Amino acid sequence: QLRLVESGGGLVHPGGSLRLSCAASGVTLDSYAIGWFRQAPGKEPESVSCINNSSDDRFNAESVEGRFTISRDSAKNMVYLEMNNLKREDTAVYYCSAGNFPSAVQMCVVAPLIKDDWGQGTQVTVSS
């Protein structure tokens, strides 16, 4: 049984940084592509950053390119999202998800259409 738990969100000023964590049970994350997604109130979910199972392929949404980095810690069975230079438009609930996709871009494109096993999410609020 897959369970994903997101953490690390909070209130941060514009230009600040946060690191989100995704902890998994019931699945070894190294076997799957992983994605971070977000959803703001009244909006559709959108992909943020994805990584394939071997971690040699990454894909970032244009809005976060150069600011966000997805990474794995295989020993801890966790995935992280390092967020730098945060902007007000980054405010959303952030979710992680695992999928059986061969590439990062496929994970980012398909997973928001399915929205399965996303956990509770963690709130990120960027405000002055």
Short mmCIF file of all heavy atoms in Angstrom, two decimals, residues 68-122:
data_model
loop_
_atom_site.label_atom_id
_atom_site.label_comp_id
_atom_site.label_asym_id
_atom_site.label_seq_id
_atom_site.Cartn_x
_atom_site.Cartn_y
_atom_site.Cartn_z
N PHE A 68 14.13 25.91 -8.67
CA PHE A 68 13.75 24.70 -7.94
C PHE A 68 14.60 23.53 -8.42
O PHE A 68 14.91 23.42 -9.61
CB PHE A 68 12.28 24.35 -8.17
CG PHE A 68 11.28 25.29 -7.56
CD1 PHE A 68 11.66 26.51 -7.01
CD2 PHE A 68 9.94 24.94 -7.53
CE1 PHE A 68 10.74 27.37 -6.44
CE2 PHE A 68 9.00 25.79 -6.97
CZ PHE A 68 9.40 27.00 -6.43
N THR A 69 14.91 22.63 -7.50
CA THR A 69 15.68 21.43 -7.83
C THR A 69 15.08 20.23 -7.13
O THR A 69 14.91 20.24 -5.91
CB THR A 69 17.15 21.58 -7.43
OG1 THR A 69 17.73 22.72 -8.07
CG2 THR A 69 17.94 20.34 -7.85
N ILE A 70 14.79 19.19 -7.88
CA ILE A 70 14.30 17.94 -7.32
C ILE A 70 15.47 16.99 -7.12
O ILE A 70 16.39 16.95 -7.93
CB ILE A 70 13.22 17.31 -8.22
CG1 ILE A 70 12.56 16.11 -7.54
CG2 ILE A 70 13.78 16.94 -9.58
CD1 ILE A 70 11.33 15.58 -8.29
N SER A 71 15.44 16.23 -6.04
CA SER A 71 16.52 15.30 -5.76
C SER A 71 16.00 14.12 -4.94
O SER A 71 14.90 14.17 -4.39
CB SER A 71 17.68 15.97 -5.02
OG SER A 71 17.25 16.45 -3.75
N ARG A 72 16.81 13.07 -4.87
CA ARG A 72 16.48 11.87 -4.11
C ARG A 72 17.49 11.62 -3.01
O ARG A 72 18.66 11.97 -3.12
CB ARG A 72 16.47 10.63 -5.00
CG ARG A 72 15.47 10.58 -6.12
CD ARG A 72 15.70 9.30 -6.91
NE ARG A 72 14.85 9.20 -8.09
CZ ARG A 72 13.68 8.58 -8.11
NH1 ARG A 72 13.21 7.99 -7.01
NH2 ARG A 72 12.98 8.54 -9.23
N ASP A 73 17.03 10.96 -1.96
CA ASP A 73 17.91 10.34 -0.98
C ASP A 73 17.45 8.90 -0.89
O ASP A 73 16.52 8.57 -0.16
CB ASP A 73 17.83 11.03 0.38
CG ASP A 73 18.85 10.49 1.37
OD1 ASP A 73 19.26 9.32 1.25
OD2 ASP A 73 19.24 11.25 2.27
N SER A 74 18.10 8.04 -1.63
CA SER A 74 17.66 6.65 -1.74
C SER A 74 17.71 5.93 -0.40
O SER A 74 16.85 5.10 -0.10
CB SER A 74 18.51 5.92 -2.77
OG SER A 74 18.34 6.48 -4.06
N ALA A 75 18.73 6.22 0.40
CA ALA A 75 18.88 5.55 1.69
C ALA A 75 17.70 5.83 2.61
O ALA A 75 17.33 4.99 3.43
CB ALA A 75 20.18 5.96 2.35
N LYS A 76 17.12 7.00 2.49
CA LYS A 76 15.98 7.38 3.32
C LYS A 76 14.65 7.18 2.62
O LYS A 76 13.60 7.43 3.21
CB LYS A 76 16.11 8.84 3.75
CG LYS A 76 17.32 9.13 4.62
CD LYS A 76 17.37 10.59 5.01
CE LYS A 76 18.56 10.89 5.90
NZ LYS A 76 18.63 12.32 6.27
N ASN A 77 14.70 6.74 1.36
CA ASN A 77 13.49 6.56 0.57
C ASN A 77 12.67 7.85 0.54
O ASN A 77 11.45 7.85 0.76
CB ASN A 77 12.64 5.40 1.10
CG ASN A 77 11.68 4.85 0.07
OD1 ASN A 77 11.93 4.90 -1.13
ND2 ASN A 77 10.56 4.32 0.54
N MET A 78 13.35 8.95 0.25
CA MET A 78 12.72 10.25 0.24
C MET A 78 13.10 11.03 -1.00
O MET A 78 14.13 10.78 -1.63
CB MET A 78 13.11 11.05 1.48
CG MET A 78 12.66 10.43 2.79
SD MET A 78 13.03 11.44 4.24
CE MET A 78 11.90 12.81 3.98
N VAL A 79 12.27 11.98 -1.32
CA VAL A 79 12.50 12.90 -2.41
C VAL A 79 12.32 14.32 -1.87
O VAL A 79 11.47 14.56 -1.01
CB VAL A 79 11.55 12.64 -3.59
CG1 VAL A 79 11.70 13.70 -4.67
CG2 VAL A 79 11.80 11.26 -4.18
N TYR A 80 13.12 15.24 -2.40
CA TYR A 80 13.10 16.61 -1.92
C TYR A 80 12.85 17.57 -3.07
O TYR A 80 13.10 17.27 -4.24
CB TYR A 80 14.43 16.97 -1.25
CG TYR A 80 14.81 16.05 -0.13
CD1 TYR A 80 15.70 15.00 -0.35
CD2 TYR A 80 14.28 16.21 1.14
CE1 TYR A 80 16.05 14.14 0.67
CE2 TYR A 80 14.62 15.36 2.16
CZ TYR A 80 15.51 14.33 1.93
OH TYR A 80 15.85 13.48 2.96
N LEU A 81 12.35 18.73 -2.70
CA LEU A 81 12.26 19.84 -3.64
C LEU A 81 12.88 21.05 -2.97
O LEU A 81 12.32 21.60 -2.03
CB LEU A 81 10.81 20.12 -4.03
CG LEU A 81 10.61 21.22 -5.07
CD1 LEU A 81 11.19 20.78 -6.42
CD2 LEU A 81 9.15 21.60 -5.21
N GLU A 82 14.04 21.44 -3.47
CA GLU A 82 14.71 22.63 -2.98
C GLU A 82 14.17 23.82 -3.76
O GLU A 82 14.25 23.85 -4.99
CB GLU A 82 16.22 22.52 -3.16
CG GLU A 82 17.01 23.66 -2.59
CD GLU A 82 17.11 23.61 -1.08
OE1 GLU A 82 17.06 22.50 -0.52
OE2 GLU A 82 17.25 24.69 -0.46
N MET A 83 13.61 24.77 -3.05
CA MET A 83 12.99 25.94 -3.66
C MET A 83 13.74 27.19 -3.23
O MET A 83 13.82 27.48 -2.03
CB MET A 83 11.51 26.03 -3.28
CG MET A 83 10.71 24.78 -3.60
SD MET A 83 8.94 25.00 -3.30
CE MET A 83 8.95 25.25 -1.53
N ASN A 84 14.26 27.90 -4.19
CA ASN A 84 15.00 29.13 -3.93
C ASN A 84 14.35 30.30 -4.65
O ASN A 84 13.63 30.12 -5.63
CB ASN A 84 16.45 28.99 -4.39
CG ASN A 84 17.20 27.90 -3.65
OD1 ASN A 84 17.20 27.87 -2.42
ND2 ASN A 84 17.85 27.01 -4.39
N ASN A 85 14.64 31.48 -4.15
CA ASN A 85 14.11 32.71 -4.75
C ASN A 85 12.60 32.61 -4.96
O ASN A 85 12.08 32.85 -6.05
CB ASN A 85 14.83 33.00 -6.07
CG ASN A 85 14.53 34.40 -6.59
OD1 ASN A 85 14.20 35.30 -5.83
ND2 ASN A 85 14.65 34.57 -7.90
N LEU A 86 11.92 32.26 -3.90
CA LEU A 86 10.48 32.05 -3.99
C LEU A 86 9.73 33.34 -4.33
O LEU A 86 10.10 34.43 -3.88
CB LEU A 86 9.95 31.47 -2.69
CG LEU A 86 10.26 29.98 -2.51
CD1 LEU A 86 10.17 29.58 -1.05
CD2 LEU A 86 9.29 29.15 -3.35
N LYS A 87 8.69 33.17 -5.11
CA LYS A 87 7.85 34.27 -5.55
C LYS A 87 6.43 34.06 -5.06
O LYS A 87 6.02 32.95 -4.74
CB LYS A 87 7.86 34.36 -7.08
CG LYS A 87 9.26 34.51 -7.68
CD LYS A 87 9.19 34.49 -9.20
CE LYS A 87 10.57 34.64 -9.80
NZ LYS A 87 10.52 34.61 -11.29
N ARG A 88 5.66 35.14 -5.04
CA ARG A 88 4.28 35.04 -4.60
C ARG A 88 3.48 34.06 -5.45
O ARG A 88 2.58 33.37 -4.93
CB ARG A 88 3.61 36.41 -4.62
CG ARG A 88 4.14 37.36 -3.56
CD ARG A 88 3.45 38.71 -3.63
NE ARG A 88 3.92 39.61 -2.58
CZ ARG A 88 5.00 40.38 -2.68
NH1 ARG A 88 5.74 40.35 -3.77
NH2 ARG A 88 5.34 41.18 -1.67
N GLU A 89 3.81 33.95 -6.71
CA GLU A 89 3.10 33.03 -7.60
C GLU A 89 3.38 31.57 -7.27
O GLU A 89 2.72 30.68 -7.81
CB GLU A 89 3.47 33.31 -9.06
CG GLU A 89 4.94 33.05 -9.38
CD GLU A 89 5.30 33.44 -10.80
OE1 GLU A 89 4.46 34.04 -11.50
OE2 GLU A 89 6.42 33.15 -11.22
N ASP A 90 4.36 31.30 -6.41
CA ASP A 90 4.64 29.94 -5.99
C ASP A 90 3.70 29.46 -4.89
O ASP A 90 3.75 28.29 -4.50
CB ASP A 90 6.09 29.81 -5.51
CG ASP A 90 7.10 30.08 -6.61
OD1 ASP A 90 6.89 29.61 -7.74
OD2 ASP A 90 8.11 30.75 -6.31
N THR A 91 2.89 30.34 -4.36
CA THR A 91 1.96 29.98 -3.29
C THR A 91 0.98 28.92 -3.77
O THR A 91 0.27 29.11 -4.76
CB THR A 91 1.21 31.21 -2.78
OG1 THR A 91 2.14 32.12 -2.19
CG2 THR A 91 0.17 30.81 -1.75
N ALA A 92 0.94 27.79 -3.08
CA ALA A 92 0.08 26.67 -3.46
C ALA A 92 0.26 25.55 -2.44
O ALA A 92 1.14 25.61 -1.58
CB ALA A 92 0.42 26.16 -4.85
N VAL A 93 -0.58 24.54 -2.55
CA VAL A 93 -0.36 23.29 -1.85
C VAL A 93 0.49 22.41 -2.75
O VAL A 93 0.16 22.21 -3.93
CB VAL A 93 -1.67 22.58 -1.49
CG1 VAL A 93 -1.39 21.26 -0.80
CG2 VAL A 93 -2.53 23.48 -0.60
N TYR A 94 1.57 21.89 -2.21
CA TYR A 94 2.51 21.09 -2.97
C TYR A 94 2.35 19.62 -2.64
O TYR A 94 2.25 19.23 -1.47
CB TYR A 94 3.95 21.54 -2.69
CG TYR A 94 4.32 22.81 -3.39
CD1 TYR A 94 3.78 24.03 -2.99
CD2 TYR A 94 5.20 22.81 -4.47
CE1 TYR A 94 4.10 25.21 -3.65
CE2 TYR A 94 5.53 23.98 -5.13
CZ TYR A 94 4.98 25.17 -4.71
OH TYR A 94 5.31 26.35 -5.36
N TYR A 95 2.35 18.80 -3.68
CA TYR A 95 2.18 17.36 -3.56
C TYR A 95 3.32 16.64 -4.26
O TYR A 95 3.90 17.15 -5.22
CB TYR A 95 0.87 16.91 -4.20
CG TYR A 95 -0.37 17.58 -3.69
CD1 TYR A 95 -0.85 18.75 -4.26
CD2 TYR A 95 -1.10 17.02 -2.63
CE1 TYR A 95 -2.00 19.36 -3.80
CE2 TYR A 95 -2.25 17.62 -2.17
CZ TYR A 95 -2.70 18.80 -2.75
OH TYR A 95 -3.85 19.39 -2.29
N CYS A 96 3.60 15.44 -3.79
CA CYS A 96 4.50 14.57 -4.52
C CYS A 96 3.74 13.34 -4.99
O CYS A 96 2.69 12.98 -4.45
CB CYS A 96 5.72 14.16 -3.68
SG CYS A 96 5.34 13.23 -2.18
N SER A 97 4.27 12.70 -6.01
CA SER A 97 3.63 11.53 -6.57
C SER A 97 4.68 10.64 -7.22
O SER A 97 5.71 11.13 -7.69
CB SER A 97 2.58 11.93 -7.60
OG SER A 97 1.91 10.80 -8.12
N ALA A 98 4.41 9.35 -7.24
CA ALA A 98 5.26 8.37 -7.90
C ALA A 98 4.50 7.73 -9.05
O ALA A 98 3.31 7.46 -8.93
CB ALA A 98 5.72 7.30 -6.91
N GLY A 99 5.21 7.49 -10.14
CA GLY A 99 4.57 6.90 -11.30
C GLY A 99 5.51 6.02 -12.08
O GLY A 99 6.73 6.18 -12.01
N ASN A 100 4.94 5.11 -12.80
CA ASN A 100 5.72 4.19 -13.62
C ASN A 100 5.86 4.77 -15.02
O ASN A 100 5.20 4.33 -15.96
CB ASN A 100 5.05 2.82 -13.65
CG ASN A 100 5.91 1.77 -14.32
OD1 ASN A 100 7.12 1.92 -14.44
ND2 ASN A 100 5.27 0.69 -14.75
N PHE A 101 6.73 5.76 -15.13
CA PHE A 101 6.99 6.42 -16.41
C PHE A 101 8.47 6.38 -16.70
O PHE A 101 9.30 6.49 -15.80
CB PHE A 101 6.50 7.87 -16.39
CG PHE A 101 5.02 8.00 -16.18
CD1 PHE A 101 4.52 8.32 -14.94
CD2 PHE A 101 4.14 7.80 -17.23
CE1 PHE A 101 3.16 8.45 -14.74
CE2 PHE A 101 2.78 7.92 -17.04
CZ PHE A 101 2.29 8.24 -15.80
N PRO A 102 8.83 6.25 -17.96
CA PRO A 102 10.24 6.12 -18.30
C PRO A 102 11.02 7.43 -18.33
O PRO A 102 12.25 7.41 -18.37
CB PRO A 102 10.20 5.49 -19.70
CG PRO A 102 8.92 5.99 -20.28
CD PRO A 102 7.95 6.06 -19.13
N SER A 103 10.34 8.56 -18.33
CA SER A 103 11.03 9.83 -18.41
C SER A 103 10.39 10.84 -17.47
O SER A 103 9.23 10.71 -17.07
CB SER A 103 11.01 10.37 -19.84
OG SER A 103 9.72 10.79 -20.21
N ALA A 104 11.17 11.85 -17.15
CA ALA A 104 10.68 12.89 -16.25
C ALA A 104 9.55 13.69 -16.88
O ALA A 104 8.56 14.01 -16.21
CB ALA A 104 11.83 13.81 -15.85
N VAL A 105 9.67 14.01 -18.15
CA VAL A 105 8.65 14.82 -18.79
C VAL A 105 7.33 14.07 -18.85
O VAL A 105 6.26 14.66 -18.69
CB VAL A 105 9.10 15.31 -20.18
CG1 VAL A 105 9.26 14.16 -21.15
CG2 VAL A 105 8.14 16.35 -20.72
N GLN A 106 7.38 12.77 -19.08
CA GLN A 106 6.14 12.00 -19.10
C GLN A 106 5.48 12.01 -17.73
O GLN A 106 4.25 12.12 -17.63
CB GLN A 106 6.40 10.57 -19.55
CG GLN A 106 6.72 10.43 -21.02
CD GLN A 106 6.83 8.99 -21.46
OE1 GLN A 106 6.11 8.12 -20.98
NE2 GLN A 106 7.75 8.74 -22.37
N MET A 107 6.26 11.91 -16.68
CA MET A 107 5.71 11.99 -15.33
C MET A 107 5.02 13.33 -15.12
O MET A 107 3.90 13.40 -14.61
CB MET A 107 6.81 11.79 -14.30
CG MET A 107 6.33 11.86 -12.85
SD MET A 107 5.30 10.45 -12.40
CE MET A 107 4.65 11.02 -10.82
N CYS A 108 5.66 14.40 -15.53
CA CYS A 108 5.10 15.73 -15.31
C CYS A 108 3.86 15.98 -16.15
O CYS A 108 2.96 16.72 -15.74
CB CYS A 108 6.16 16.79 -15.58
SG CYS A 108 7.12 17.30 -14.13
N VAL A 109 3.79 15.40 -17.33
CA VAL A 109 2.65 15.61 -18.20
C VAL A 109 1.44 14.78 -17.78
O VAL A 109 0.32 15.28 -17.75
CB VAL A 109 3.03 15.31 -19.66
CG1 VAL A 109 1.79 15.27 -20.55
CG2 VAL A 109 4.00 16.35 -20.18
N VAL A 110 1.66 13.54 -17.43
CA VAL A 110 0.57 12.61 -17.19
C VAL A 110 0.04 12.66 -15.76
O VAL A 110 -1.17 12.60 -15.54
CB VAL A 110 0.99 11.18 -17.56
CG1 VAL A 110 -0.12 10.19 -17.22
CG2 VAL A 110 1.34 11.09 -19.03
N ALA A 111 0.91 12.73 -14.79
CA ALA A 111 0.49 12.62 -13.39
C ALA A 111 -0.59 13.62 -12.98
O ALA A 111 -1.51 13.24 -12.24
CB ALA A 111 1.70 12.73 -12.47
N PRO A 112 -0.54 14.89 -13.41
CA PRO A 112 -1.61 15.82 -13.01
C PRO A 112 -2.98 15.43 -13.53
O PRO A 112 -3.99 15.87 -12.97
CB PRO A 112 -1.15 17.15 -13.59
CG PRO A 112 0.32 17.01 -13.80
CD PRO A 112 0.53 15.58 -14.15
N LEU A 113 -3.03 14.65 -14.58
CA LEU A 113 -4.30 14.21 -15.13
C LEU A 113 -4.90 13.06 -14.33
O LEU A 113 -6.10 12.81 -14.43
CB LEU A 113 -4.11 13.78 -16.59
CG LEU A 113 -3.46 14.80 -17.52
CD1 LEU A 113 -3.31 14.22 -18.91
CD2 LEU A 113 -4.28 16.09 -17.56
N ILE A 114 -4.09 12.38 -13.57
CA ILE A 114 -4.52 11.23 -12.80
C ILE A 114 -4.75 11.60 -11.33
O ILE A 114 -5.78 11.25 -10.75
CB ILE A 114 -3.49 10.10 -12.89
CG1 ILE A 114 -3.30 9.67 -14.35
CG2 ILE A 114 -3.92 8.91 -12.04
CD1 ILE A 114 -2.19 8.67 -14.55
N LYS A 115 -3.81 12.28 -10.75
CA LYS A 115 -3.86 12.75 -9.37
C LYS A 115 -4.19 11.61 -8.40
O LYS A 115 -5.17 11.67 -7.64
CB LYS A 115 -4.84 13.91 -9.20
CG LYS A 115 -4.58 14.73 -7.95
CD LYS A 115 -5.52 15.93 -7.86
CE LYS A 115 -5.25 16.72 -6.59
NZ LYS A 115 -6.16 17.87 -6.45
N ASP A 116 -3.39 10.60 -8.43
CA ASP A 116 -3.52 9.47 -7.52
C ASP A 116 -2.35 9.46 -6.53
O ASP A 116 -1.21 9.75 -6.90
CB ASP A 116 -3.53 8.15 -8.28
CG ASP A 116 -4.83 7.92 -9.02
OD1 ASP A 116 -5.87 8.49 -8.62
OD2 ASP A 116 -4.80 7.18 -10.01
N ASP A 117 -2.64 9.11 -5.29
CA ASP A 117 -1.62 8.91 -4.26
C ASP A 117 -0.76 10.15 -4.05
O ASP A 117 0.46 10.07 -3.90
CB ASP A 117 -0.74 7.71 -4.62
CG ASP A 117 -1.51 6.44 -4.80
OD1 ASP A 117 -2.41 6.17 -3.98
OD2 ASP A 117 -1.23 5.70 -5.77
N TRP A 118 -1.41 11.30 -4.01
CA TRP A 118 -0.69 12.56 -3.83
C TRP A 118 -0.50 12.95 -2.37
O TRP A 118 0.19 13.93 -2.09
CB TRP A 118 -1.41 13.68 -4.58
CG TRP A 118 -1.13 13.70 -6.05
CD1 TRP A 118 -0.75 12.65 -6.85
CD2 TRP A 118 -1.21 14.84 -6.91
NE1 TRP A 118 -0.59 13.07 -8.14
CE2 TRP A 118 -0.87 14.42 -8.21
CE3 TRP A 118 -1.53 16.19 -6.70
CZ2 TRP A 118 -0.85 15.29 -9.30
CZ3 TRP A 118 -1.52 17.06 -7.78
CH2 TRP A 118 -1.18 16.59 -9.06
N GLY A 119 -1.08 12.22 -1.46
CA GLY A 119 -0.94 12.56 -0.05
C GLY A 119 -1.75 13.79 0.32
O GLY A 119 -2.62 14.25 -0.41
N GLN A 120 -1.44 14.33 1.50
CA GLN A 120 -2.16 15.49 2.00
C GLN A 120 -1.64 16.80 1.45
O GLN A 120 -2.34 17.81 1.47
CB GLN A 120 -2.09 15.54 3.53
CG GLN A 120 -2.69 14.34 4.23
CD GLN A 120 -2.63 14.48 5.74
OE1 GLN A 120 -3.34 15.31 6.32
NE2 GLN A 120 -1.77 13.68 6.36
N GLY A 121 -0.42 16.80 0.99
CA GLY A 121 0.20 18.02 0.52
C GLY A 121 0.74 18.86 1.65
O GLY A 121 0.46 18.63 2.82
N THR A 122 1.55 19.85 1.29
CA THR A 122 2.08 20.79 2.26
C THR A 122 1.93 22.20 1.71
O THR A 122 2.23 22.45 0.54
CB THR A 122 3.55 20.45 2.61
OG1 THR A 122 4.02 21.32 3.64
CG2 THR A 122 4.46 20.56 1.40
#
